[in-house]
Amino acid sequence: MATFSVYMIRHGQTYFNKYRRMQGWCDSPLTAVGEQDARNAGKMLNGIDFDAVYASDMTRAMRTAELILPASGNTDLTVQPMAAFREAFYGYFEGDDTSQTWFMVGAPHQAPSLSAIIEQYGIEKAKDFCKEADPFHRAENNAEFWQRVNGGLDTLRAHHHDGDKVLVVSHGNTIYSIAARFAALTSPARPQNGSVTKFTISANDVTLDYFGRKDHLD
């Protein structure tokens, strides 16, 4: 059975990141810092010959991938959009102030921030609490999120062979959620913009090799 490596990068800084706005399925452009985040990630990945590159279909992720490819020496590849690896959908809260939103979502559970929710309940409950707090109940809960992401993992399994190296540009809470599901994370800190998280994927398992690196890679 095939076992292959997935290098999952969080997109570069966006204007919504800079201004601390909820950014799930809404989008904003990369800042100049965010474009440099992408190039720096590409430099870290230089020397790795990827067999394929995917990105969430959000513009911020696609643009990050486009900037990574030349910096990493993989100019022969084309970025393939994959909606399965989007960020969680925050429904009514899309575009709102991040701190205010997570206070509204977590306060009924005595956890007034996203970090507090993760520390007390786990990242899975953060999504459930968000859907409960959304007056339209359109935000993704944990089951809906994982139905989508599992589809993406199954697509990678169906298309890749033993020893392949795959680049995926995704989002902070999506990467954190995958890592938290398959490894015991001890910190609620999500990966920084432009950081690299590596997974080994087989037919029946996902292993976290490292999380959120912004320097030397193995």
Side-chain angles (χ1 to χ4, degrees):
M1 292 186 180
T3 298
F4 56 94
S5 299
V6 172
Y7 295 77
M8 195 167 280
I9 290 80
R10 183 185 176 192
H11 62 80
Q13 184 198 63
T14 68
Y15 282 94
F16 272 21
N17 291 150
K18 182 175 181 178
Y19 300 128
R20 297 182 176 89
R21 295 281 167 178
M22 298 292 288
Q23 188 176 219
W25 290 11
C26 67
D27 217 344
S28 67
L30 298 184
T31 63
V33 170
E35 292 187 349
Q36 191 59 47
D37 287 335
R39 294 187 188 98
N40 290 344
K43 291 175 184 176
M44 285 191 292
L45 297 164
N46 193 278
I48 300 173
D49 294 325
F50 289 104
D51 296 284
V53 56
Y54 304 90
S56 154
D57 61 343
M58 297 288 97
T59 301
R60 60 192 187 271
M62 293 290 292
R63 178 59 178 155
T64 298
E66 290 165 358
L67 290 169
I68 285 173
L69 289 181
S72 67
N74 286 276
T75 54
D76 57 324
L77 297 177
T78 300
V79 183
Q80 303 177 60
M82 188 178 286
F85 293 117
R86 284 184 179 186
E87 184 59 285
F89 179 49
Y90 299 118
Y92 171 80
F93 300 110
E94 291 278 343
D96 283 359
D97 179 86
T98 300
S99 296
Q100 291 178 4
T101 295
W102 288 115
F103 180 85
M104 291 174 61
V105 168
H109 307 278
Q110 293 72 53
S113 67
L114 178 56
S115 291
I117 296 170
I118 293 172
E119 287 174 338
Q120 295 180 46
Y121 300 98
I123 188 68
E124 297 88 354
K125 282 296 184 183
K127 300 179 187 67
D128 292 342
F129 294 165
C130 193
K131 191 178 188 77
E132 291 171 8
D134 179 350
F136 295 91
H137 303 295
R138 296 300 300 274
E140 278 187 314
N141 63 20
N142 192 57
E144 292 163 336
F145 171 85
W146 273 105
Q147 182 177 12
R148 173 168 61 82
V149 172
N150 279 333
L153 296 174
D154 287 344
T155 297
L156 294 181
R157 288 184 173 109
H159 286 85
H160 289 288
H161 308 289
D162 203 54
D164 276 3
K165 294 179 175 64
V166 180
L167 176 64
V168 177
V169 179
S170 185
H171 305 267
N173 281 341
T174 297
I175 296 169
Y176 185 92
S177 296
I178 297 170
R181 182 165 190 170
F182 295 104
L185 298 184
T186 57
S187 169
R190 272 74 68 204
Q192 296 179 21
N193 295 107
S195 64
V196 182
T197 297
K198 183 184 176 188
F199 299 96
T200 297
I201 298 181
S202 63
N204 300 308
D205 198 15
V206 176
T207 302
L208 175 65
D209 299 313
Y210 51 76
F211 179 78
R213 289 195 180 175
K214 294 197 74 170
D215 48 19
H216 175 71
L217 301 182
D218 297 333

